[in-house]
Amino acid sequence: MKKTALLIIDVQNAMFDDSNPIYDGEQLLNNIQYLLNQARSSSIPIFYVQHNDEEFITGTPPWEIHPSIAPKKGEIIIQKQTPDSFHHTELHQMLQAQQIDDLVIAGNQTEYCVDTTCRHAVSLGYNVTLVRDAHRTWDSNTLSAKQIIDHHNEVLGNAFVSLRATIEIQFNNNENI
């Protein structure tokens, strides 16, 4: 039987700061809350990834995972320092220890951490479902956040991952979604 885990990437307080909030952040939080409720009610393992750098300084309020999706006891938090949730972390080993084959991925930042983690997960042999409406970013100098999200959904969905909307994710007691 294939086992599934939910992977939540970098949903930290700094990304929701009123001075420069991530695009459509409230809807992102709502979608992740839905995913968490689905996963928890089906006893699906949940892994959080938390970024650490000069903006996300360990132990500070901006670094903390947003309280509306806070981990519960037993849910694993992986610390990382690069866009890749697998690079120099224990994520792969922890997923292997739980015999996880399939990953459902949501979080931030679409063109960096989400993209890099999806691609690396596929190269490690995981079946990846990217939740098309549960990852976010900011506007860049050339593209709107929505354009970046749409572009990455198209590119990743054409070659690397399965795409599903939040409402389509139905975990079923550690079987394929």
Side-chain angles (χ1 to χ4, degrees), residues 36-55:
L36 287 167
N37 288 335
Q38 290 289 322
R40 289 170 178 154
S41 69
S42 296
S43 300
I44 298 296
I46 299 169
F47 292 79
Y48 288 81
V49 178
Q50 197 169 20
H51 195 80
N52 298 268
D53 65 17
E54 62 280 348
E55 182 180 358

Side-chain angles (χ1 to χ4, degrees), residues 28-162:
L28 172 67
L29 293 171
N30 290 337
N31 290 350
I32 292 175
Q33 288 168 355
Y34 174 89
L35 294 169
L36 287 167
N37 288 335
Q38 290 289 322
R40 289 170 178 154
S41 69
S42 296
S43 300
I44 298 296
I46 299 169
F47 292 79
Y48 288 81
V49 178
Q50 197 169 20
H51 195 80
N52 298 268
D53 65 17
E54 62 280 348
E55 182 180 358
F56 299 97
I57 299 168
T58 303
T60 64
W63 167 84
E64 293 174 1
I65 294 170
H66 195 277
S68 72
I69 61 144
K72 293 191 174 184
K73 185 177 181 179
E75 296 172 348
I76 296 168
I77 304 171
I78 303 291
Q79 302 298 318
K80 70 174 180 65
Q81 295 181 330
T82 71
D84 183 350
S85 298
F86 292 96
H87 185 68
H88 293 302
T89 73
E90 296 178 343
L91 179 58
H92 181 56
Q93 293 79 5
M94 295 181 106
L95 292 168
Q96 286 186 315
Q98 293 193 39
Q99 300 176 321
I100 302 298
D101 300 298
D102 299 339
L103 293 176
V104 175
I105 297 179
N108 294 315
Q109 184 175 352
T110 299
E111 70 275 33
Y112 295 111
C113 303
V114 172
D115 178 89
T116 305
T117 298
C118 284
R119 291 173 190 254
H120 196 164
V122 169
S123 74
L124 290 170
Y126 294 99
N127 301 308
V128 176
T129 298
L130 176 61
V131 187
R132 76 172 76 224
D133 58 352
H135 60 94
R136 296 289 189 272
T137 191
W138 288 266
D139 293 343
S140 73
N141 290 332
T142 55
L143 297 172
S144 71
K146 183 174 182 343
Q147 289 172 316
I148 294 167
I149 293 164
D150 290 347
H151 171 77
H152 279 75
N153 280 340
E154 182 177 344
V155 170
L156 291 170
N158 282 335
F160 299 100
V161 305
S162 297

Side-chain angles (χ1 to χ4, degrees), residues 15-36:
M15 298 181 165
F16 301 90
D17 187 287
D18 290 338
S19 66
N20 186 26
I22 199 151
Y23 167 75
D24 201 17
E26 286 303 313
Q27 187 61 53
L28 172 67
L29 293 171
N30 290 337
N31 290 350
I32 292 175
Q33 288 168 355
Y34 174 89
L35 294 169
L36 287 167

